Amino acid sequence: MLKRIFTYFSGCVALTIIIGFLIGEIVTGSAATATESLLTDLPVHSVKIPASDGTDVHGWLVYGKDGNGAVLLVHSIRSNRVEMLSRARFLTAQGYHVLLIDLQAHGETPGDRITFGARESENVEASIDFLRKTFPNESIGAIGVSLGAAAIVLAKHDLKLSAVILESLHPTIEEAVENRLKLFLGKPGTFFLPLLLAQISFFTDTPIDELSPITRINNLNSPLLIISGTNDRHTTPPETERLFAAAREPKELWIVPGAGHFNMHDYAGRTYEQEVLGFLSHYLRPR
C-alpha cells in the first residue's frame, strides 16, 4: 500500500516537473517572425542597430519633421514591430520621427530565449543611442507595451529620455507569471509558479528580483505616463497603482475604463491618441 502511494506521488511530481518544463519552454521560447518583407502604408526605412552582444536589432525608421522630436516604439511579448504600426501612423502624422524595433528573440532580431527585459533592455539602450546619433538635436521619448515597457524600465543605464509611456506593465515578475498561470490553468496553475520562476532565472541568467520593474522604476529619471485597463487580469489595477506609486515625479496615471490586457490604441482609439499626443507634446516640444 505504501509502495503504491509512493509510486503515485512520485508520478505526480514527475508529471508536474514535465508540465512545468514544457510551460517554461513555451513562455521563454523564441518568437521569431519574418517582418522585413511585410508591406506597410508608411514610408519605412529598414535599419539594423548594433547591439552590445554583437547581434543587430532589426527595425523600421520613419522620418517625421525636424524639431518635433523622436519616439521609440517597443512591442509586447511574443509580438514584433508590426504591433506598433498603428501608433507610428498617428505619431508620424504629427511630425515625430519614429523607430519601431523587434526585441531580441522576436521578429527578425536574433535571440534564443525571451528574457523578460534582461536582454531586451539592451536592445532599448542600443536603439536610443541610434536615435541620438541619427537625430542629435531632437528630444527623444519612448512608448513600451508589456515586455517592451519592462525593457525600458530595466535598462541598466539612464536612458535620459524626455518622456516615457508605459502600457500594461507588471510590477513584479512573480505577479506577472502567477496571474497568467491562473488565467490559463485556473488556481491549480499556481503550483507551477516556483518551477517556472526558477526556469526564467536560469534561462535569463538573472536573479528573479532583478526582473521586477517596481524595483527599478524610481531610477527612470523621465516624465512618465502609465496606462493600464480596469479589466486587465494580467496586470490588475491595484498592481498598476503600486507601480505608479513607486515611480518618481513628474508622473501621470491613466487607467482606461473597460480595457483589458491588449492593444490600448486599438481599444481607446482617438482618446488614446489625444492622451499620448498631449503628453508627448508637453515634454518633447516645450514652449
Side-chain angles (χ1 to χ4, degrees):
M1 181 66 174
L2 288 176
K3 185 177 181 180
R4 264 188 287 178
I5 294 173
F6 177 78
T7 302
Y8 172 78
F9 279 107
S10 297
C12 289
V13 171
L15 181 61
T16 299
I17 292 173
I18 292 170
I19 294 174
F21 179 79
L22 291 174
I23 294 173
E25 283 293 314
I26 293 170
V27 169
T28 65
S30 171
T33 310
T35 52
E36 189 58 49
S37 59
L38 295 175
L39 297 176
T40 75
D41 57 351
L42 285 175
V44 299
H45 300 263
S46 297
V47 295
K48 294 181 181 179
I49 303 166
S52 59
D53 62 359
T55 62
D56 289 330
V57 178
H58 290 239
W60 286 324
L61 179 63
V62 189
Y63 289 92
K65 296 179 181 178
D66 290 340
N68 288 310
V71 182
L72 172 67
L73 300 180
V74 197
H75 62 78
S76 64
I77 193 168
R78 310 205 70 80
S79 185
N80 54 61
R81 68 185 106 156
V82 176
E83 176 190 3
M84 309 304 284
L85 271 173
S86 69
R87 292 170 176 81
R89 290 188 190 99
F90 78 78
L91 289 170
T92 54
Q94 293 297 315
Y96 292 100
H97 303 293
V98 177
L99 175 62
L100 310 83
I101 62 170
D102 290 336
L103 291 169
Q104 71 92 36
H106 293 79
E108 295 189 340
T109 299
D112 297 326
R113 296 278 178 184
I114 296 169
T115 65
F116 304 94
R119 294 177 198 146
E120 292 83 358
S121 62
E122 297 172 6
N123 301 156
V124 167
E125 291 189 36
S127 299
I128 295 298
D129 287 343
F130 170 82
L131 283 175
R132 285 217 164 83
K133 291 174 183 175
T134 307
F135 306 108
N137 299 317
E138 300 287 349
S139 297
I140 297 174
I143 301 175
V145 179
S146 191
L147 172 63
I152 293 170
V153 175
L154 295 177
K156 294 180 176 63
H157 303 98
D158 186 356
L159 299 175
K160 298 179 181 178
L161 295 170
S162 298
V164 173
I165 298 174
L166 306 175
E167 301 180 26
S168 306
L169 177 61
H170 52 275
T172 70
I173 190 69
E174 292 93 340
E175 288 166 305
V177 174
E178 183 176 8
N179 289 345
R180 285 156 180 77
L181 286 171
K182 287 179 181 178
L183 282 172
F184 292 109
L185 300 174
K187 194 171 181 180
T190 58
F191 290 118
F192 298 106
L193 180 60
L195 181 60
L196 194 50
L197 290 175
Q199 281 185 276
I200 290 172
S201 181
F202 174 77
F203 286 133
T204 62
D205 192 27
T206 306
I208 282 297
D209 60 354
E210 292 185 15
L211 295 176
S212 292
I214 198 167
T215 65
R216 301 285 292 278
I217 196 167
N218 190 52
N219 296 334
L220 192 63
N221 191 21
S222 306
L224 177 64
L225 170 61
I226 294 179
I227 303 175
S228 189
T230 58
N231 294 355
D232 191 342
R233 296 170 62 195
H234 294 75
T235 300
T236 65
E239 290 169 0
T240 300
E241 289 165 0
R242 281 178 36 234
L243 187 71
F244 178 74
R248 65 171 64 185
E249 298 282 357
K251 58 185 177 180
E252 299 177 26
L253 176 63
W254 180 34
I255 299 184
V256 184
H261 195 83
F262 43 68
N263 192 314
M264 289 294 177
H265 184 216
D266 283 351
Y267 181 82
R270 182 67 65 180
T271 303
Y272 174 93
E273 294 177 14
Q274 291 171 347
E275 290 284 342
V276 167
L277 289 174
F279 180 80
L280 292 178
S281 178
H282 181 74
Y283 290 107
L284 297 189
R285 301 172 178 176
R287 297 293 183 261

